[in-house]
Amino acid sequence: MLSLTLGTMITITSNHWVTAWAGLEINTLAVIPLISKSHHPRAIEAATKYFLTQATASALMLFSSMTNAWSSGQWDITQLTNPPSCLLLTAAIAIKLGLTPFHFWFPEVLQGSSLTTALLLSTAMKFPPTTILLLTSHSLNPTLLSTMAIMSIALGGWMGLNQTQTRKILAFSSISHLGWMTIIITYNPKLTLLTFYLYSLMTTSIFLSMNSTNTLKLSTLMTSWTKAPMLNTTLMLTLLSLAGLPPLTGFLPKWLIIQELTKQEMTTTATTISMLSLLGLFFYLRLTYCSTITLPPNSSNKMKQWSIKKPVNTLTPTL
Amino acid sequence: MSLIHLSFYSAFTLSSLGLAFHRTHLISALLCLESIILSIYIGLSLWPVQNQATSFTLLPVLILAFSACEAGTGLAILVASTRTHGSDHLHNLNLLQC
């Protein structure tokens, strides 16, 4: 855990490519044992997939920085001048973050890891590549980034529709939120940061509340009201906030992003991504419906089954 | 000098293609990953030679240290997957399907 913070700090505060790469490698190496801690076959498989994808992404990033260094003579992160290097770097960071078309590892890896590790994977591990994107955003190709972002939002919505495992649903929600973050990065990077912070806050509260009731499937979610009723209502609010409904906090980044896109004369893009996030709204609503509004078909009991961890998140949806 | 550049660019491209198209064994993917890092290492070692700047000779050593850690982790994952799945065939890694 400490090496995770170390790796993140190294990458964030770096201005030389090799220190950024070193921080990312430290992060990857530190999180692999966290994924494979339980020695379950699914966990080992998730660790394998995670390791392969992240290692190739790191190597690709190093290669792009090396070609940039050979063609321009310097190793500064903010000065990427070689166009093939920019393309390779965009591909590398897309693999690391899980943007489409490189998103295939993400739901499976989240499914194979425990809930707290999945939380770490989807919030903390996304932070260093996002900072690298922010540092280099002025020299990357906006068309490519916008295309990947729109495809991410589309795929995140579509593929999440048929899922019943909560970790996979959260993986697809993560993919579509990443799409929202990426679409604005070349125009207003501060909005990307805002989206990232709010997204990580909301996702943290959802993961922690799921962790305290141990809901891994949709059917478990239906009986979670017996274990901690107050937690269930706040879970509902947080889910709707993640979907982006207006009076809740999750609507704020979407609103600002759409405003910024219309300022840049990209109204068709803004309309497209709003329509595509309706797909995500469907599965968030289904989660809300299953957890709070309906009663389960199987028998439920009012017994508290195990000790409940502190519900920290009763406050976060009200932010 | 551009012949040497071509050699390590092509080494990198071939290794990454090998990584993308690995078919049956996990260990071939790990080997291709190592050759990617090796081609980057060789390309990076030419930098202080050509530019006569000896302060940059630390970079390949640093990269080598990190890639050795990564190779060790990859091998540990290989061992763990062989213990749980029985072999390192990639067909067996299908427990996490939708």
Coordinates of all heavy atoms in Angstrom, one line a residue, chain A residues 16 18 21-23 25-26 29 32 39-42 44-49 51-52 54-56 58-60 62-63 66-67 69-70 72-75 88 108-109 111-112 159 163 168 172, chain B residues 5 8-9 12 16 19 22 26 29-30 33 36-37 39-41 43-44 46-47 50-51 56 59 62-63 66-67 69-71 73-74 77 80-81 84-85 90 92-98:
Chain A
H16 N 10.5 14.1 -16.1 CA 11.3 13.3 -17.0 C 10.6 12.0 -17.3 O 9.9 11.5 -16.4 CB 12.7 13.0 -16.3 CG 13.7 12.4 -17.2 ND1 13.7 11.1 -17.6 CD2 14.8 13.0 -17.8 CE1 14.8 10.9 -18.4 NE2 15.4 12.0 -18.5
V18 N 11.5 9.0 -17.7 CA 11.8 7.7 -17.0 C 11.3 7.7 -15.6 O 10.9 6.6 -15.1 CB 13.4 7.5 -17.1 CG1 13.8 6.3 -16.3 CG2 13.8 7.4 -18.5
W21 N 7.7 6.6 -15.9 CA 7.6 5.2 -16.2 C 7.9 4.4 -14.9 O 7.2 3.4 -14.6 CB 8.6 4.9 -17.3 CG 8.7 3.4 -17.6 CD1 7.9 2.7 -18.3 CD2 9.7 2.5 -17.1 NE1 8.3 1.4 -18.4 CE2 9.4 1.3 -17.6 CE3 10.9 2.7 -16.4 CZ2 10.2 0.2 -17.4 CZ3 11.7 1.6 -16.1 CH2 11.3 0.3 -16.7
A22 N 8.9 4.9 -14.1 CA 9.3 4.1 -12.9 C 8.1 4.1 -11.9 O 7.8 3.1 -11.3 CB 10.5 4.8 -12.3
G23 N 7.5 5.3 -11.8 CA 6.3 5.4 -10.9 C 5.2 4.4 -11.3 O 4.6 3.7 -10.5
E25 N 5.5 1.7 -13.0 CA 6.0 0.3 -12.8 C 5.8 -0.1 -11.3 O 5.4 -1.2 -11.0 CB 7.4 0.1 -13.2 CG 7.7 0.2 -14.6 CD 7.3 -1.1 -15.3 OE1 7.9 -2.1 -15.0 OE2 6.3 -1.1 -16.1
I26 N 6.2 0.9 -10.4 CA 6.0 0.6 -9.0 C 4.6 0.4 -8.7 O 4.3 -0.6 -7.9 CB 6.6 1.8 -8.2 CG1 8.1 1.8 -8.4 CG2 6.3 1.6 -6.7 CD1 8.8 3.0 -7.7
L29 N 3.6 -3.2 -10.0 CA 4.2 -4.2 -9.2 C 3.5 -4.3 -7.8 O 3.4 -5.4 -7.2 CB 5.7 -4.0 -9.0 CG 6.5 -4.2 -10.3 CD1 7.9 -3.9 -10.0 CD2 6.4 -5.6 -10.8
I32 N -0.2 -5.9 -8.0 CA -0.4 -7.4 -8.4 C -0.5 -8.3 -7.2 O -1.4 -9.1 -7.2 CB 0.8 -7.8 -9.3 CG1 0.9 -7.0 -10.6 CG2 0.8 -9.3 -9.5 CD1 0.1 -7.7 -11.7
H39 N -5.5 -16.2 -3.7 CA -5.1 -17.5 -4.3 C -6.3 -18.2 -4.9 O -6.2 -19.5 -5.1 CB -4.4 -18.4 -3.3 CG -3.1 -17.8 -2.8 ND1 -2.0 -17.7 -3.6 CD2 -2.8 -17.3 -1.6 CE1 -1.1 -17.1 -2.8 NE2 -1.5 -16.9 -1.6
H40 N -7.3 -17.6 -5.2 CA -8.4 -18.2 -6.0 C -8.0 -18.2 -7.4 O -7.4 -17.3 -7.9 CB -9.7 -17.3 -5.7 CG -10.9 -18.0 -6.1 ND1 -11.4 -17.9 -7.4 CD2 -11.8 -18.7 -5.4 CE1 -12.5 -18.6 -7.5 NE2 -12.8 -19.1 -6.3
P41 N -8.4 -19.2 -8.2 CA -8.0 -19.2 -9.6 C -8.5 -17.9 -10.4 O -7.8 -17.5 -11.2 CB -8.7 -20.4 -10.2 CG -8.9 -21.3 -9.1 CD -9.0 -20.5 -7.8
R42 N -9.7 -17.4 -10.0 CA -10.1 -16.2 -10.7 C -9.2 -15.0 -10.4 O -8.9 -14.2 -11.3 CB -11.5 -15.9 -10.3 CG -12.5 -16.7 -10.9 CD -13.8 -16.0 -11.0 NE -14.9 -17.0 -11.2 CZ -15.7 -17.5 -10.3 NH1 -15.6 -17.0 -9.1 NH2 -16.6 -18.4 -10.6
I44 N -6.0 -15.2 -9.6 CA -4.7 -15.3 -10.3 C -4.9 -15.0 -11.8 O -4.0 -14.3 -12.4 CB -4.2 -16.8 -10.2 CG1 -4.1 -17.2 -8.7 CG2 -2.9 -16.9 -10.9 CD1 -3.0 -16.5 -8.0
E45 N -6.0 -15.4 -12.4 CA -6.2 -15.0 -13.8 C -6.3 -13.5 -14.0 O -5.8 -13.0 -14.9 CB -7.5 -15.8 -14.2 CG -7.8 -15.6 -15.6 CD -9.1 -16.3 -16.0 OE1 -9.4 -17.3 -15.2 OE2 -9.8 -15.9 -16.9
A46 N -7.0 -12.9 -13.0 CA -7.2 -11.4 -13.1 C -5.8 -10.8 -13.0 O -5.5 -9.8 -13.7 CB -8.1 -10.9 -12.0
A47 N -4.9 -11.3 -12.1 CA -3.6 -10.8 -11.9 C -2.8 -10.9 -13.2 O -2.0 -10.0 -13.6 CB -2.9 -11.4 -10.7
T48 N -2.9 -12.1 -13.9 CA -2.2 -12.3 -15.1 C -2.6 -11.3 -16.2 O -1.8 -10.7 -16.8 CB -2.5 -13.7 -15.7 OG1 -2.5 -14.7 -14.6 CG2 -1.5 -14.1 -16.7
K49 N -3.9 -11.1 -16.3 CA -4.4 -10.2 -17.4 C -3.9 -8.8 -17.1 O -3.5 -8.1 -17.9 CB -5.9 -10.3 -17.5 CG -6.3 -11.6 -18.1 CD -7.8 -11.7 -18.3 CE -8.1 -13.0 -18.9 NZ -9.4 -13.4 -18.8
F51 N -1.4 -7.8 -15.3 CA 0.1 -7.7 -15.4 C 0.4 -7.5 -16.9 O 1.2 -6.6 -17.3 CB 0.8 -8.9 -14.8 CG 2.3 -8.9 -15.1 CD1 3.1 -8.0 -14.5 CD2 2.8 -9.8 -16.1 CE1 4.5 -8.0 -14.8 CE2 4.1 -9.8 -16.4 CZ 5.0 -8.9 -15.7
L52 N -0.1 -8.4 -17.8 CA 0.3 -8.3 -19.2 C -0.1 -7.0 -19.8 O 0.7 -6.4 -20.5 CB -0.4 -9.5 -19.9 CG 0.3 -10.8 -19.9 CD1 -0.5 -11.8 -20.6 CD2 1.7 -10.7 -20.4
Q54 N -0.8 -4.0 -18.4 CA -0.1 -2.9 -17.8 C 1.4 -2.9 -18.2 O 2.0 -1.8 -18.4 CB -0.2 -2.9 -16.3 CG -1.6 -2.8 -15.8 CD -2.1 -1.4 -15.9 OE1 -1.5 -0.4 -15.5 NE2 -3.3 -1.2 -16.5
A55 N 2.0 -4.1 -18.3 CA 3.4 -4.1 -18.7 C 3.6 -3.7 -20.1 O 4.6 -2.9 -20.4 CB 4.0 -5.5 -18.4
T56 N 2.7 -4.1 -21.0 CA 2.9 -3.7 -22.4 C 2.6 -2.2 -22.5 O 3.3 -1.5 -23.3 CB 1.9 -4.4 -23.3 OG1 0.6 -4.4 -22.7 CG2 2.3 -5.8 -23.7
S58 N 3.3 0.1 -20.3 CA 4.5 0.8 -19.8 C 5.6 0.8 -20.8 O 6.3 1.8 -21.0 CB 5.0 0.2 -18.5 OG 4.0 0.2 -17.5
A59 N 5.8 -0.4 -21.4 CA 6.9 -0.5 -22.3 C 6.6 0.3 -23.6 O 7.5 1.0 -24.1 CB 7.0 -2.0 -22.8
L60 N 5.4 0.4 -24.0 CA 5.0 1.2 -25.1 C 5.2 2.7 -24.8 O 5.7 3.4 -25.7 CB 3.5 1.0 -25.4 CG 3.0 1.2 -26.8 CD1 3.7 0.4 -27.8 CD2 1.5 0.9 -26.9
L62 N 7.4 3.9 -22.7 CA 8.8 4.1 -22.7 C 9.4 4.2 -24.1 O 10.2 5.1 -24.4 CB 9.5 3.0 -21.9 CG 11.0 3.2 -21.5 CD1 11.0 4.4 -20.5 CD2 11.5 2.0 -20.8
F63 N 8.9 3.4 -25.0 CA 9.3 3.4 -26.4 C 9.0 4.7 -27.0 O 9.8 5.3 -27.8 CB 8.7 2.2 -27.1 CG 9.2 2.2 -28.5 CD1 10.5 1.9 -28.8 CD2 8.3 2.4 -29.6 CE1 10.9 1.8 -30.1 CE2 8.7 2.4 -30.9 CZ 10.0 2.0 -31.2
M66 N 11.2 7.3 -25.9 CA 12.6 7.2 -26.4 C 12.6 7.7 -27.9 O 13.6 8.4 -28.2 CB 13.0 5.7 -26.4 CG 14.4 5.5 -26.7 SD 14.9 3.9 -26.5 CE 14.2 3.2 -28.0
T67 N 11.6 7.4 -28.7 CA 11.6 7.9 -30.0 C 11.5 9.4 -30.0 O 12.1 10.1 -30.9 CB 10.4 7.3 -30.9 OG1 9.2 7.5 -30.1 CG2 10.7 5.9 -31.2
A69 N 12.7 11.3 -27.7 CA 14.0 11.8 -27.3 C 15.0 11.8 -28.4 O 15.8 12.7 -28.6 CB 14.5 11.0 -26.1
W70 N 15.0 10.7 -29.2 CA 15.9 10.6 -30.3 C 15.6 11.7 -31.4 O 16.5 12.2 -32.1 CB 15.9 9.3 -31.0 CG 16.7 8.3 -30.3 CD1 16.4 7.2 -29.6 CD2 18.2 8.3 -30.3 NE1 17.5 6.5 -29.2 CE2 18.6 7.1 -29.6 CE3 19.2 9.1 -30.9 CZ2 19.9 6.8 -29.4 CZ3 20.5 8.8 -30.7 CH2 20.8 7.6 -29.9
S72 N 13.9 14.7 -30.8 CA 13.9 16.1 -30.4 C 15.0 16.4 -29.4 O 15.2 17.6 -29.1 CB 12.6 16.5 -29.8 OG 12.4 15.7 -28.6
G73 N 15.7 15.4 -28.9 CA 16.8 15.7 -28.0 C 16.6 16.0 -26.6 O 17.5 16.3 -25.9
Q74 N 15.4 15.8 -26.1 CA 15.1 16.1 -24.7 C 14.1 15.1 -24.1 O 13.3 14.5 -24.9 CB 14.7 17.5 -24.5 CG 13.7 18.1 -25.5 CD 12.3 17.7 -25.2 OE1 12.0 17.5 -24.0 NE2 11.5 17.5 -26.2
W75 N 14.1 15.0 -22.8 CA 13.2 14.1 -22.2 C 12.1 14.7 -21.4 O 11.6 14.1 -20.5 CB 14.0 13.2 -21.2 CG 14.9 12.2 -21.8 CD1 16.2 12.4 -22.3 CD2 14.5 10.9 -22.1 NE1 16.6 11.2 -22.8 CE2 15.7 10.3 -22.7 CE3 13.4 10.1 -21.9 CZ2 15.7 9.0 -23.1 CZ3 13.4 8.8 -22.3 CH2 14.6 8.2 -22.9
L88 N 1.7 6.8 -30.2 CA 2.0 5.6 -29.3 C 1.7 5.9 -27.9 O 1.3 5.0 -27.1 CB 3.5 5.3 -29.5 CG 3.9 4.5 -30.7 CD1 5.3 4.3 -30.7 CD2 3.2 3.1 -30.6
E108 N -12.9 -8.0 -16.5 CA -12.5 -9.3 -16.0 C -11.5 -9.1 -14.8 O -11.6 -9.9 -13.9 CB -11.8 -10.1 -17.1 CG -12.8 -10.3 -18.3 CD -12.2 -11.0 -19.4 OE1 -11.0 -11.3 -19.3 OE2 -12.9 -11.3 -20.4
V109 N -10.7 -8.1 -14.9 CA -9.8 -7.9 -13.8 C -10.5 -7.5 -12.5 O -10.3 -7.9 -11.4 CB -8.6 -6.9 -14.2 CG1 -7.9 -6.5 -13.0 CG2 -7.7 -7.6 -15.2
Q111 N -13.6 -8.2 -11.9 CA -14.4 -9.3 -11.4 C -13.5 -10.3 -10.6 O -14.0 -10.9 -9.7 CB -14.9 -10.0 -12.6 CG -15.7 -11.3 -12.3 CD -17.0 -10.9 -11.6 OE1 -17.5 -9.8 -11.7 NE2 -17.5 -11.9 -11.0
G112 N -12.2 -10.4 -11.0 CA -11.4 -11.4 -10.3 C -10.8 -10.9 -9.0 O -10.2 -11.7 -8.2
M159 N -22.2 -2.5 -22.9 CA -21.8 -3.8 -22.4 C -22.2 -3.9 -20.9 O -22.2 -5.0 -20.4 CB -20.3 -4.0 -22.5 CG -20.0 -4.3 -24.0 SD -18.3 -4.4 -24.3 CE -17.8 -5.8 -23.4
Q163 N -25.2 -7.2 -17.5 CA -24.4 -7.8 -16.4 C -25.2 -7.9 -15.2 O -26.1 -7.1 -14.9 CB -23.2 -6.8 -16.1 CG -22.4 -6.5 -17.3 CD -21.7 -7.7 -17.8 OE1 -21.4 -8.6 -17.0 NE2 -21.4 -7.7 -19.1
K168 N -18.5 -6.1 -12.3 CA -18.5 -5.8 -13.8 C -19.3 -4.6 -14.1 O -18.9 -3.8 -15.0 CB -19.0 -7.0 -14.5 CG -18.0 -8.1 -14.7 CD -18.2 -8.9 -15.9 CE -17.0 -9.8 -16.1 NZ -17.3 -11.1 -16.4
F172 N -17.8 -1.3 -16.1 CA -18.3 -0.6 -17.2 C -18.7 0.9 -16.9 O -18.5 1.8 -17.8 CB -19.5 -1.3 -17.8 CG -19.1 -2.6 -18.5 CD1 -19.5 -3.8 -18.0 CD2 -18.2 -2.5 -19.6 CE1 -19.1 -5.0 -18.6 CE2 -17.8 -3.7 -20.1 CZ -18.2 -4.9 -19.7
Chain B
H5 N 19.1 2.8 -35.6 CA 17.8 3.1 -35.2 C 16.7 2.2 -35.7 O 15.8 1.7 -35.1 CB 17.4 4.5 -35.6 CG 18.1 5.6 -34.9 ND1 17.5 6.8 -34.7 CD2 19.3 5.7 -34.2 CE1 18.3 7.6 -34.0 NE2 19.4 6.9 -33.7
F8 N 16.7 -1.2 -33.8 CA 15.9 -1.4 -32.6 C 14.5 -1.0 -32.7 O 13.6 -1.6 -32.0 CB 16.6 -0.8 -31.3 CG 16.8 0.7 -31.3 CD1 15.8 1.5 -31.0 CD2 18.1 1.2 -31.5 CE1 16.0 2.9 -31.0 CE2 18.3 2.5 -31.4 CZ 17.3 3.4 -31.2
Y9 N 14.1 -0.2 -33.7 CA 12.7 0.0 -33.9 C 12.1 -1.3 -34.4 O 11.0 -1.6 -34.1 CB 12.5 1.1 -35.0 CG 12.7 2.5 -34.5 CD1 12.8 3.6 -35.4 CD2 12.9 2.8 -33.1 CE1 13.0 4.9 -34.9 CE2 13.1 4.1 -32.7 CZ 13.2 5.1 -33.6 OH 13.4 6.4 -33.2
F12 N 11.7 -3.8 -31.7 CA 10.5 -3.4 -30.9 C 9.2 -3.8 -31.6 O 8.3 -4.4 -30.9 CB 10.5 -1.9 -30.6 CG 9.3 -1.5 -29.8 CD1 9.3 -1.6 -28.4 CD2 8.2 -1.0 -30.4 CE1 8.2 -1.3 -27.7 CE2 7.1 -0.6 -29.7 CZ 7.1 -0.7 -28.3
S16 N 6.6 -6.6 -30.2 CA 5.2 -6.2 -29.8 C 4.2 -7.0 -30.7 O 3.1 -7.4 -30.2 CB 5.0 -4.7 -30.0 OG 5.3 -4.3 -31.2
L19 N 3.9 -10.3 -29.0 CA 3.1 -10.2 -27.8 C 1.7 -10.1 -28.1 O 0.8 -10.7 -27.5 CB 3.5 -8.9 -27.0 CG 2.9 -8.7 -25.7 CD1 3.1 -9.8 -24.8 CD2 3.4 -7.4 -25.1
H22 N 0.4 -13.9 -29.5 CA 0.8 -15.1 -28.8 C -0.4 -16.0 -28.8 O -1.5 -15.6 -28.6 CB 1.4 -14.8 -27.5 CG 0.4 -14.2 -26.5 ND1 0.2 -12.8 -26.5 CD2 -0.3 -14.7 -25.5 CE1 -0.7 -12.5 -25.6 NE2 -1.0 -13.6 -25.0
L26 N 1.5 -18.8 -22.1 CA 1.7 -17.5 -21.4 C 3.2 -17.1 -21.5 O 3.5 -16.0 -21.5 CB 1.2 -17.7 -20.0 CG 1.2 -16.4 -19.2 CD1 0.2 -15.4 -19.8 CD2 0.8 -16.7 -17.8
A29 N 4.3 -14.9 -24.2 CA 4.0 -13.5 -24.0 C 5.0 -12.8 -23.1 O 5.5 -11.7 -23.3 CB 2.6 -13.3 -23.4
L30 N 5.4 -13.5 -22.0 CA 6.5 -12.9 -21.1 C 7.8 -12.7 -21.8 O 8.5 -11.7 -21.6 CB 6.7 -13.9 -19.9 CG 5.5 -13.9 -19.0 CD1 5.8 -14.9 -17.9 CD2 5.2 -12.6 -18.4
L33 N 7.6 -9.7 -24.0 CA 7.6 -8.5 -23.1 C 9.1 -8.2 -22.8 O 9.6 -7.1 -22.8 CB 6.8 -8.8 -21.9 CG 6.4 -7.6 -21.1 CD1 5.5 -6.8 -21.9 CD2 5.6 -8.1 -19.9
I36 N 10.9 -6.7 -25.7 CA 10.5 -5.3 -25.9 C 11.4 -4.4 -25.0 O 12.0 -3.4 -25.4 CB 9.0 -5.1 -25.6 CG1 8.2 -5.6 -26.7 CG2 8.7 -3.6 -25.3 CD1 6.7 -5.5 -26.4
I37 N 11.5 -4.8 -23.7 CA 12.3 -4.0 -22.8 C 13.7 -4.0 -23.2 O 14.5 -3.0 -23.1 CB 12.1 -4.5 -21.4 CG1 10.6 -4.6 -21.0 CG2 12.9 -3.7 -20.4 CD1 10.1 -3.4 -20.3
S39 N 15.0 -4.2 -26.3 CA 15.2 -3.4 -27.4 C 15.2 -1.9 -26.9 O 16.0 -1.1 -27.4 CB 14.2 -3.6 -28.5 OG 12.9 -3.2 -28.1
I40 N 14.3 -1.6 -26.0 CA 14.3 -0.2 -25.4 C 15.6 0.1 -24.7 O 16.2 1.2 -24.9 CB 13.1 0.0 -24.5 CG1 11.8 -0.1 -25.3 CG2 13.2 1.3 -23.7 CD1 10.6 0.1 -24.4
Y41 N 16.1 -0.9 -24.0 CA 17.4 -0.8 -23.3 C 18.5 -0.5 -24.2 O 19.4 0.4 -24.0 CB 17.6 -2.0 -22.5 CG 19.0 -2.1 -21.9 CD1 19.4 -1.3 -20.8 CD2 20.0 -3.0 -22.4 CE1 20.6 -1.4 -20.3 CE2 21.2 -3.1 -21.8 CZ 21.6 -2.3 -20.8 OH 22.8 -2.4 -20.2
G43 N 18.3 0.7 -27.3 CA 18.2 2.0 -27.9 C 18.6 3.1 -27.0 O 19.1 4.1 -27.4
L44 N 18.3 2.9 -25.7 CA 18.6 3.9 -24.7 C 20.1 4.0 -24.4 O 20.6 5.0 -24.0 CB 17.8 3.7 -23.4 CG 17.4 4.8 -22.6 CD1 16.6 5.7 -23.4 CD2 16.7 4.4 -21.4
L46 N 22.4 3.7 -26.5 CA 23.1 4.5 -27.6 C 23.1 6.0 -27.4 O 23.9 6.7 -28.0 CB 22.4 4.2 -28.9 CG 22.7 2.8 -29.4 CD1 21.9 2.6 -30.7 CD2 24.1 2.7 -29.8
W47 N 22.2 6.4 -26.5 CA 22.0 7.8 -26.3 C 23.3 8.5 -25.8 O 23.7 9.5 -26.3 CB 20.8 8.0 -25.4 CG 20.5 9.4 -25.0 CD1 21.0 10.1 -23.9 CD2 19.6 10.3 -25.7 NE1 20.5 11.4 -23.9 CE2 19.6 11.5 -25.0 CE3 18.9 10.2 -26.8 CZ2 18.9 12.6 -25.3 CZ3 18.1 11.3 -27.2 CH2 18.1 12.5 -26.5
Q50 N 26.1 8.5 -28.4 CA 26.1 9.4 -29.5 C 26.2 10.8 -29.1 O 26.8 11.6 -29.8 CB 24.8 9.2 -30.3 CG 24.8 9.8 -31.6 CD 23.5 9.6 -32.4 OE1 22.5 9.2 -31.8 NE2 23.5 10.0 -33.6
N51 N 25.6 11.2 -28.0 CA 25.5 12.6 -27.6 C 26.7 13.0 -26.7 O 26.7 14.1 -26.3 CB 24.2 12.9 -26.9 CG 23.1 12.7 -27.8 OD1 23.3 12.5 -29.0 ND2 21.9 12.8 -27.3
F56 N 23.9 10.6 -18.8 CA 22.7 9.8 -19.1 C 22.9 8.3 -19.1 O 22.0 7.6 -19.4 CB 22.2 10.2 -20.5 CG 21.5 11.5 -20.6 CD1 22.2 12.6 -21.0 CD2 20.2 11.7 -20.2 CE1 21.6 13.9 -21.1 CE2 19.6 12.9 -20.3 CZ 20.3 14.0 -20.7
L59 N 20.4 6.0 -17.0 CA 19.0 5.6 -17.5 C 18.9 4.1 -17.8 O 17.9 3.5 -17.4 CB 18.6 6.5 -18.6 CG 18.3 7.9 -18.3 CD1 17.9 8.7 -19.5 CD2 17.1 8.0 -17.3
L62 N 18.8 2.0 -14.7 CA 17.5 2.1 -14.0 C 16.4 1.3 -14.6 O 15.7 0.6 -14.0 CB 17.1 3.6 -14.0 CG 16.2 4.1 -12.9 CD1 16.7 3.8 -11.6 CD2 15.9 5.5 -13.1
I63 N 16.4 1.4 -16.0 CA 15.3 0.6 -16.7 C 15.6 -0.9 -16.5 O 14.6 -1.6 -16.4 CB 15.4 1.1 -18.2 CG1 14.8 2.4 -18.3 CG2 14.6 0.1 -19.0 CD1 14.7 3.0 -19.7
F66 N 14.3 -2.0 -13.1 CA 12.8 -2.1 -13.0 C 12.3 -3.3 -13.9 O 11.3 -4.0 -13.5 CB 12.1 -0.8 -13.5 CG 12.0 0.1 -12.3 CD1 12.7 1.3 -12.3 CD2 11.1 -0.1 -11.3 CE1 12.6 2.2 -11.2 CE2 10.9 0.8 -10.3 CZ 11.7 1.9 -10.2
S67 N 12.9 -3.5 -15.0 CA 12.4 -4.5 -15.9 C 12.7 -5.9 -15.3 O 12.0 -6.9 -15.5 CB 12.9 -4.4 -17.3 OG 14.3 -4.8 -17.3
C69 N 12.7 -6.5 -12.1 CA 11.6 -6.7 -11.1 C 10.3 -7.2 -11.8 O 9.6 -8.1 -11.3 CB 11.3 -5.4 -10.4 SG 12.5 -4.9 -9.3
E70 N 10.1 -6.6 -12.9 CA 8.8 -6.9 -13.6 C 8.9 -8.3 -14.2 O 7.9 -9.1 -14.1 CB 8.7 -5.9 -14.7 CG 7.3 -5.8 -15.2 CD 7.2 -4.7 -16.2 OE1 8.1 -3.9 -16.2 OE2 6.2 -4.8 -16.9
A71 N 10.0 -8.7 -14.7 CA 10.2 -10.1 -15.2 C 10.0 -11.1 -14.1 O 9.3 -12.2 -14.2 CB 11.5 -10.3 -15.8
T73 N 8.2 -10.7 -11.4 CA 6.7 -10.7 -11.1 C 6.0 -11.5 -12.1 O 5.1 -12.3 -11.8 CB 6.2 -9.3 -11.1 OG1 7.0 -8.4 -10.3 CG2 4.8 -9.3 -10.5
G74 N 6.4 -11.4 -13.4 CA 5.7 -12.1 -14.5 C 5.9 -13.6 -14.3 O 5.0 -14.4 -14.4
I77 N 3.8 -14.8 -11.5 CA 2.4 -15.0 -11.9 C 2.2 -16.3 -12.8 O 1.2 -17.0 -12.7 CB 1.9 -13.7 -12.7 CG1 1.7 -12.6 -11.7 CG2 0.7 -14.0 -13.5 CD1 1.2 -11.4 -12.3
A80 N 2.1 -19.1 -10.4 CA 0.8 -19.1 -9.7 C -0.3 -19.6 -10.6 O -1.2 -20.4 -10.2 CB 0.4 -17.7 -9.2
S81 N -0.3 -19.2 -11.9 CA -1.4 -19.6 -12.8 C -1.2 -21.1 -13.1 O -2.2 -21.8 -13.4 CB -1.4 -18.8 -14.0 OG -0.3 -19.1 -14.9
T84 N -2.8 -23.0 -10.2 CA -4.2 -23.0 -10.1 C -4.9 -23.5 -11.3 O -5.9 -24.2 -11.2 CB -4.8 -21.6 -9.8 OG1 -4.3 -20.7 -10.9 CG2 -4.3 -21.1 -8.5
H85 N -4.3 -23.3 -12.5 CA -5.0 -23.7 -13.7 C -4.5 -25.0 -14.3 O -5.1 -25.6 -15.2 CB -4.9 -22.6 -14.8 CG -5.7 -21.4 -14.5 ND1 -7.0 -21.3 -14.9 CD2 -5.5 -20.3 -13.9 CE1 -7.5 -20.1 -14.5 NE2 -6.6 -19.5 -13.9
L90 N -3.2 -20.6 -22.7 CA -4.1 -19.5 -22.6 C -5.6 -19.8 -22.7 O -6.4 -19.0 -22.4 CB -3.7 -18.5 -23.6 CG -2.3 -17.9 -23.4 CD1 -1.9 -17.1 -24.6 CD2 -2.4 -17.0 -22.2
N92 N -7.1 -21.9 -21.0 CA -7.6 -22.2 -19.7 C -8.0 -21.0 -18.9 O -8.6 -21.1 -17.8 CB -6.6 -23.0 -18.8 CG -6.3 -24.3 -19.5 OD1 -7.1 -24.8 -20.3 ND2 -5.3 -25.0 -19.0
L93 N -7.6 -19.8 -19.4 CA -7.9 -18.6 -18.7 C -9.2 -18.0 -19.1 O -9.4 -17.0 -19.6 CB -6.8 -17.5 -19.0 CG -5.4 -17.8 -18.5 CD1 -4.5 -16.7 -19.0 CD2 -5.3 -17.9 -17.1
N94 N -10.3 -18.8 -18.8 CA -11.6 -18.3 -19.2 C -12.6 -18.4 -18.1 O -13.8 -18.5 -18.3 CB -12.1 -19.2 -20.4 CG -12.1 -20.6 -20.0 OD1 -11.7 -21.0 -18.9 ND2 -12.5 -21.5 -20.9
L95 N -12.1 -18.2 -16.8 CA -13.0 -18.3 -15.7 C -13.8 -17.0 -15.5 O -14.8 -17.0 -14.8 CB -12.2 -18.6 -14.4 CG -11.6 -19.9 -14.4 CD1 -10.7 -20.0 -13.1 CD2 -12.6 -21.0 -14.3
L96 N -13.3 -15.9 -16.1 CA -13.9 -14.7 -15.8 C -14.8 -14.1 -16.9 O -14.9 -13.0 -17.1 CB -12.8 -13.6 -15.5 CG -12.0 -13.9 -14.3 CD1 -10.8 -13.0 -14.3 CD2 -12.8 -13.7 -13.1
Q97 N -15.4 -15.1 -17.7 CA -16.2 -14.6 -18.8 C -17.5 -13.9 -18.4 O -17.9 -14.2 -17.2 CB -16.6 -15.8 -19.7 CG -15.4 -16.4 -20.4 CD -14.7 -15.5 -21.3 OE1 -15.4 -14.7 -22.0 NE2 -13.4 -15.5 -21.4
C98 N -18.1 -13.2 -19.2 CA -19.3 -12.5 -18.9 C -20.4 -13.5 -18.8 O -21.4 -13.2 -18.2 CB -19.7 -11.5 -20.0 SG -18.4 -10.2 -20.2

